[in-house]
Amino acid sequence: MVEVADRPRRLQGNMGVGELVMSVLAFSAPLTTVAGFVPVLLMFSGNTGPAIYIVATVILVIFSVGFTAMGRIVPNPGGFYAFVTQGLGRPAGLGGAFLATFGYAIIGFFAPPFFAITVQSYVQNNLNGPHIAWGWYALAIVAATTALAYRRIDLSAKVLTAVMVLEVLIVIIFDVVSFLKGSPAGAGGASLSLPWVTDSNIGLALLFVVGNFFGFEATVIFREEVKDPEKTIPRATYLAVAGIGVFYAIAAWAYVTYAGAAKVQGDAKANLGGMFGDALTDLVGRTFVDIVTVLLMTSILASMLSIHNVAARYLYSLGTDGVVPAPMGKVHARHGSPHVAASLIGALWAIGIGIFVALGSDPNVLYARASGIGSFAVLLLLFAAGIAVFAYLRRNPTNQSAWKTTVAPVLAAVGIGVVAVLAVINYSDLLGGSGFVTSFCLVFTFALFVIGMVVARVLRDRRPEVYQRIGRQEL
């Protein structure tokens, strides 16, 4: 039996640059993104999709300049929660933490219905198996990721790394054969167009694209669990952001090449969920697609596990600071993991599945909406973090260049702000519901930030010792 005094007070791990980059890449799950979300982007953007990835990459590489510069000065493992607190104060920091916890938890909820759709189709169509309600498959993947997230992060990193290598190979094969075959005659070829702010649904296209990058925050969230964080974190951040952008831009271009610039948007609208599978069947044959379908299941698992780890660590940070019940801040004696927080995230997802099954929700619609709603919340957090980085570095002069401390943070904040405004303008198209539903979801998301600020003010007056710890200020 481990005595309380012997229990670890911090999370533990030994990830290097490669494992950290793979954990970030797993957040967007290459195969899941290319099969499930690049078609959504093309549905909104058509042949401007690849260029939209490049635009987002430039914005986030510039953001990473200030992000890594501040990371060297603020060695807290709380991610954007810690950064917003340092730059804009504890009330704003807690508001950001509420946005992050909600956002990542909702983003992760895309996986259960998407996994269920994939497995259900495979069992019935490929194995001639029985029809099993999607909720059971969804509960199975929640149980699997919760069990993995409960354990030491090194195990998750090894699982993610193995799966990522295979996923990347599959996407590269898709890219190569698409470019080799080319598009049908008269379909517009592989030509690309540049996006513009007046394009229809440009806000949603940018929202889904930027959402693919959110996992790079993990480079600082896992600070306690990497070796040599001063070198590992900056290298992993730049590699992850640049790699994600280029990788998905090429994959989107492969879609354009295969379908044709003039047809790709229409094909995406008509066959959103089956676009990737049908393209692969045509390009490489049914047998290969069967193998890829199985790998897609593990890809969804890897993505969900990565998001599960991030969401659990936000809850862990809030528990460590005393903002939420103390058990959330507990570290497992043997695994060095935030086991209570990870278990709670899994339980909430299981409850959510039960509710949506009871409501008769369509899993095909549910997964895209969950990803979009959660991504918008984290996008607002990213905007706050951009402002916070600028504010902190201006108040705390260093020997770093003006590019790192002023120019890059300002450019990044403006770019992210434009994306957020465009996402708000197009938000109703994401939900596809009534004006009331759209307004409620928007107001609720913004209200989370305000609620966090109010809670911080209350803590300042009633529990000043907890208020002082907000933003992982006391480690």
Side-chain angles (χ1 to χ4, degrees), residues 117-130 286 290:
I117 294 167
T118 304
V119 179
Q120 192 178 59
S121 174
Y122 185 77
V123 169
Q124 292 181 218
N125 300 330
N126 296 69
L127 303 179
N128 295 317
R286 183 75 248 176
D290 289 343

Side-chain angles (χ1 to χ4, degrees), residues 374-397:
S375 294
F376 181 68
V378 181
L379 178 65
L380 295 182
L381 170 66
L382 188 65
F383 177 60
I387 297 174
V389 168
F390 169 74
Y392 182 84
L393 293 176
R394 292 299 296 170
R395 287 200 312 268
N396 299 272

